[in-house]
Amino acid sequence: MAKVTGLEGVVAGETDIGLVDGEKGHLVYRGYWAKELAVSRSYEEVAYLLWNGHLPDPGELEKLKQDMAGARIIPDYLRGMIDLLPPTVPMMLVLQSAVAALGEPVNATWPPTLPQALRLTSVLPTIIAYRYRKLNNLPVIEPLAELGHAANYLYMLKGQIPEEAHVRALSAYLILCMEHGMNASTFASRVVLSTESDMCAAVCGAIGAMKGPLHGGAPSEVIAMLEDIGTMDRAEPWIRAVLDNGGKIMGFGHRIYKTKDPRAEALMIATVEMNGKDPSFDLAIHVEHTAIRLLEEYKPGRRLFTNVEFYAAAILRALQLDPEIFTPTFTAGRIVGWTSHILEQAANNRIFRPQSVYTGPMPDLEA
């Protein structure tokens, strides 16, 4: 019997939340192209879509914004708990601990509810920014009700109203982080929830999966490449030197997508719109064009397209976010997908109980 590992190709359930088709390069959220949503809609609008199955009308959107603004504040007891955690505790474990602490009896209910999903989504960026500024001996910045989700995150991290170009780029990135099928963290959330545990517990399980470098790893290697290249005139000689030595150009090619990564397409659009407004974006666009040309020259027919990590790196670099909050920022986007799947699982729940193949020794059958 062939060794059974990884669950590749195994269908674990049905969903109408999102579709990932790597062969065709499709990423769909509730019947909409994710790449189009990322460049034409706000974070709040797409969150509403994933939670409710349709885009909000103006009244529904305004109510959602008000509800999210009211849910961003960290409770005092949670601030105290975060303050007691040693500085050496990684941010992802701080998030996991904070979400667990938010699971007080009023939130530890079955079935999970949309208000619970909204609360977790709203407060996660505040927790990240609170912890980040505390660790860096900076005054804590409270969220502003008049700012949207992405803008508030940057404001709380940096302490100043962000540029519109940066807000739009971050919003596109967070939208494209929201949902990506039955990935490891989403599956983990559904498994935990299927036991009739609560939403906070299910999200804690998802954060634990996201923390692993095989899943939630940040595009640090792409950022290192862009930093090393530094200026446009260095791009071609730098890339040629790597290819001449058989090296790999980071940010090109993808394990799932066999054509253009639709997330990269959307982030490219968001980045091109910022062209001329931020040197980091300008350099990234130039490096991409140079790399694609040289990859076709050195590896003709391989069709090595830009992947999402390249433009995620360009955006995170331009926003000047510290590497320690890359994966937490990814998590702040994916929380909408997790909670959507949690709500979907609860609506037609059956506990996950797969079988395993025993490969150990057997006792003496004659005994």
Side-chain angles (χ1 to χ4, degrees), residues 112-135:
T113 66
L114 183 52
Q116 293 170 357
L118 186 148
R119 185 192 191 205
L120 288 175
T121 299
S122 303
V123 79
L124 243 60
T126 313
I127 293 170
I128 296 168
Y130 179 86
R131 175 69 170 182
Y132 173 79
R133 291 187 68 87
K134 280 279 190 173
L135 288 181

Side-chain angles (χ1 to χ4, degrees), residues 77 80 124 128 137 187 228 268:
Y77 78 86
L124 243 60
I128 296 168
N137 297 312
F187 183 54
D228 201 25
M268 180 268 290

Side-chain angles (χ1 to χ4, degrees), residues 14-17 30 47-53 107 109-121 179 186 189-194 197-200 202-203 335-350:
E14 296 183 354
T15 181
D16 60 10
I17 297 169
R30 300 276 198 190
Y48 190 98
L49 170 67
L50 289 187
W51 285 331
N52 296 282
N107 294 312
T109 57
W110 177 269
T113 66
L114 183 52
Q116 293 170 357
L118 186 148
R119 185 192 191 205
L120 288 175
T121 299
E179 161 64 9
T186 296
S189 74
R190 294 188 75 135
V191 170
V192 173
L193 199 281
S194 76
S197 191
D198 59 273
M199 181 174 282
C200 287
V203 170
I335 183 69
V336 173
W338 289 341
T339 52
S340 298
H341 278 270
I342 286 167
L343 293 169
E344 183 179 64
Q345 179 69 33
N348 187 27
N349 188 53
R350 184 175 175 84

Side-chain angles (χ1 to χ4, degrees), residues 30 37 63 68 75 140-141 144 149 223 267 325 338 353:
R30 300 276 198 190
L37 292 170
K63 184 178 186 307
M68 292 186 74
V140 173
I141 304 295
L144 293 178
H149 193 74
I223 289 180
L267 291 182
I325 61 171
W338 289 341
R353 183 59 176 89

Side-chain angles (χ1 to χ4, degrees), residues 2 7 26 31 44 56 66 75 85 131 137 200 237 248 298 358:
L7 298 180
H26 290 171
E44 290 88 346
Q66 292 177 4
L85 294 174
R131 175 69 170 182
N137 297 312
C200 287
K248 182 179 179 181
Y298 279 77
Y358 178 69

Side-chain angles (χ1 to χ4, degrees), residues 30-83:
R30 300 276 198 190
Y32 293 84
W33 297 116
K35 61 185 181 182
E36 294 179 3
L37 292 170
V39 298
S40 65
R41 299 287 182 168
S42 67
Y43 183 94
E44 290 88 346
E45 287 176 292
V46 183
Y48 190 98
L49 170 67
L50 289 187
W51 285 331
N52 296 282
H54 62 91
L55 287 167
D57 63 30
E60 291 168 331
L61 179 59
E62 183 58 32
K63 184 178 186 307
L64 176 64
K65 288 180 177 179
Q66 292 177 4
D67 290 344
M68 292 186 74
R72 288 194 181 107
I73 304 300
I74 306 174
D76 288 340
Y77 78 86
L78 188 55
R79 292 172 187 253
M81 189 201 82
I82 294 172
D83 291 344

